Amino acid sequence: MEGDIIILTKVSLSVVISLCYCYWIGRLISAGKTRLIFLAPIICFFLFIPFNFSSVHLRGSTGFFFGWLGTFKLVLFAFNKGPLSSDPSISLGHFVAAASLPIKIKQNEPHIRSKTSHIKPRFNPSNPNQLHQNENTPSAPDASNRSKSSDFGTNPSSSETPKTNGQSKEKTSHVNPSKGHTPLLLHAIKTIILASLVKLYDYSDHIHPKVILGMYCVHIYFMLDIVLATFAALAKTLLGMELEPQFNKPLLSTSLQDFWGRRWNLMVTSILRPAVYQPLVKAAMIVVGPKWALLAAVFATFVVSGLMHELILYYTGRMPPTLRMMGFFVLHGFCLTVEIVLKKTIASTWRLPRLLSGLLTIGFVAATMFWLFLPELIRCHIDVMVFEEYAALGAFIKNLSAAF
């Protein structure tokens, strides 16, 4: 543990220096292939960072922060796209934080523009008209607060209302991820629940394996939520950055579009949209035409997400991939495209009740996690390594408190 702390300090310093270099490259070299060539060494460095650690927590988190999000952000930055290019006047400190941490900076609203004009369009697979919108054109407001549109699908809701052109659009729930933050008390409760789960694992021999898998699901969600919220709070406190939350009550999802596009890990969604989805839509338009371009791009985006999850799994578990975890995302990508087609064809005449669609969505996500996602973590013994690190951390804290 002490060795990893020393390595983490050195890596953190190297990352800051590397991103300072990237910041000035962005000022000196125009966007395009030349800038990408100058950024390529840093991208390779980010991909290599997780191999420096022996801790499963550090391998997984640095793999997610740098091996996935960081590299995608830098590739986008090379072409003047993505979160690092959203504000041309971004300061060096904000640039370093946005490039190295899983955070999304809110865009300020200039007084001369409308309240929604600063929002970049988010792709809506159920709206082919969006193909013709410019990338920097404001997106359509949603039904509740007129400020957001979905990334992977229509606005979150339980039901859909017919549009004048025969298409359908989901109603937006009253939850607005762009305003406010999850109360500190709620995070404290999640932390207590997470600590209780860790303690319950000591009695895993007396608990049914299916119950253990369910505990893993809760563990993963709470741990991600707490870690991402902690980094967001640090960035807000130290740098005064206005940040958007990473989760938007995923248990209230009413469709796969709602779950993946507006509620689950929104940082990943906001990176996949410009890095994968939008370029693929343009390419697919040429090959399959506008009717199928959106569906092809949505499915391909899930394939890329699956590949990146396999990379994170390899960083963390250091075992050869079986592509079973990728199968989880391929399956969801296929089911989401089917969902989009069904909404286009029958949503104007028939739709499921909100409660039923919500139960079916969460049930499907949970069932496929049990089938394809969680078994891969167990195969790589990540659960065992995590518990060992919790025990080592507890012993370290106990010895430290005894010393004082």
Side-chain angles (χ1 to χ4, degrees):
M1 181 176 292
E2 294 179 1
D4 273 342
I5 293 175
I6 295 174
I7 295 173
L8 180 61
T9 303
K10 294 179 179 179
V11 166
S12 299
L13 180 60
S14 300
V15 166
V16 171
I17 295 173
S18 300
L19 291 175
C20 289
Y21 162 81
C22 294
Y23 180 82
W24 291 112
I25 286 295
R27 294 293 185 271
L28 298 174
I29 300 177
S30 300
K33 295 180 180 179
T34 303
R35 184 189 289 185
L36 178 61
I37 292 173
F38 277 88
L39 295 179
I42 309 303
I43 294 172
C44 293
F45 168 60
F46 274 23
L47 289 169
F48 180 74
I49 285 176
F51 293 111
N52 289 281
F53 300 102
S54 60
S55 165
V56 64
H57 285 89
L58 289 176
R59 292 200 302 257
S61 58
T62 56
F64 178 55
F65 292 4
F66 304 117
W68 184 354
L69 295 183
T71 56
F72 275 48
K73 290 177 184 178
L74 290 179
V75 171
L76 287 169
F77 178 63
F79 298 96
N80 208 30
K81 298 178 182 294
L84 303 182
S85 302
S86 59
D87 181 5
S89 61
I90 188 172
S91 66
L92 176 60
H94 285 190
F95 180 90
V96 172
S100 59
L101 299 177
I103 57 178
K104 184 181 179 185
I105 307 174
K106 287 183 181 179
Q107 298 299 307
N108 294 326
E109 300 180 11
H111 295 295
I112 61 173
R113 303 172 70 185
S114 67
K115 291 183 178 180
T116 59
S117 62
H118 69 288
I119 301 175
K120 292 187 176 181
R122 297 188 174 190
F123 57 82
N124 185 343
S126 65
N127 183 8
N129 294 329
Q130 189 172 351
L131 283 172
H132 306 293
Q133 295 178 355
N134 182 273
E135 186 174 302
N136 295 318
T137 303
S139 59
D142 65 30
S144 63
N145 54 43
R146 305 297 177 186
S147 66
K148 286 278 186 178
S149 63
S150 175
D151 280 292
F152 280 94
T154 51
N155 296 323
S157 82
S158 57
S159 61
E160 299 173 311
T161 55
K163 297 173 70 177
T164 56
N165 60 0
Q167 297 173 18
S168 61
K169 183 178 181 180
E170 290 181 291
K171 297 178 183 177
T172 305
S173 67
H174 293 291
V175 179
N176 184 356
S178 66
K179 294 185 179 181
H181 297 276
T182 305
L184 182 62
L185 177 61
L186 185 55
H187 283 305
I189 293 174
K190 290 180 179 179
T191 302
I192 293 172
I193 295 175
L194 182 59
S196 302
L197 285 177
V198 172
K199 187 62 179 177
L200 282 175
Y201 290 139
D202 294 338
Y203 307 95
S204 58
D205 292 340
H206 306 285
I207 302 176
H208 194 279
K210 296 295 184 182
V211 177
I212 294 293
L213 288 178
M215 292 165 61
Y216 286 160
C217 290
V218 178
H219 186 158
I220 291 171
Y221 169 49
F222 280 5
M223 185 171 66
L224 279 174
D225 194 16
I226 292 169
V227 169
L228 294 176
T230 300
F231 279 102
L234 287 173
K236 181 177 177 64
T237 302
L238 299 177
L239 298 173
M241 304 169 70
E242 286 296 323
L243 308 173
E244 295 186 359
Q246 305 301 320
F247 292 92
N248 180 19
K249 299 182 179 180
L251 293 180
L252 298 182
S253 301
T254 57
S255 67
L256 291 179
Q257 285 180 297
D258 189 9
F259 180 83
W260 291 113
R262 286 294 304 271
R263 296 188 180 275
W264 181 260
N265 206 344
L266 302 181
M267 182 72 257
V268 170
T269 301
S270 66
I271 293 297
L272 287 174
R273 174 177 53 84
V276 181
Y277 176 83
Q278 290 175 346
L280 287 176
V281 166
K282 295 177 181 178
M285 282 280 290
I286 301 173
V287 179
V288 298
K291 182 178 180 180
W292 302 105
L294 286 166
L295 297 178
V298 166
F299 181 76
T301 301
F302 274 87
V303 172
V304 172
S305 179
L307 288 172
M308 297 312 298
H309 277 84
E310 287 286 351
L311 177 63
I312 303 302
L313 181 66
Y314 180 72
Y315 281 143
T316 308
R318 304 288 172 85
M319 293 186 68
T322 63
L323 301 183
R324 188 175 183 178
M325 184 173 287
M326 180 179 173
F328 170 84
F329 291 94
V330 171
L331 175 61
H332 275 256
F334 173 77
C335 292
L336 179 52
T337 57
V338 172
E339 179 183 284
I340 294 169
V341 172
L342 290 176
K343 286 178 178 179
K344 287 182 179 181
T345 56
I346 66 174
S348 60
T349 57
W350 180 84
R351 58 179 178 265
L352 290 173
R354 175 173 185 167
L355 177 60
L356 181 57
S357 64
L359 290 175
L360 289 175
T361 298
I362 298 304
F364 178 75
V365 172
T368 51
M369 279 193 69
F370 278 33
W371 175 33
L372 296 170
F373 194 96
L374 294 177
E376 285 296 277
L377 302 182
I378 297 173
R379 178 183 69 88
C380 295
H381 308 295
I382 292 176
D383 56 330
V384 176
M385 292 186 284
V386 166
F387 302 147
E388 290 176 349
E389 289 188 9
Y390 284 149
L393 179 62
F396 177 78
I397 294 174
K398 183 177 180 180
N399 294 334
L400 188 64
S401 59
F404 290 95

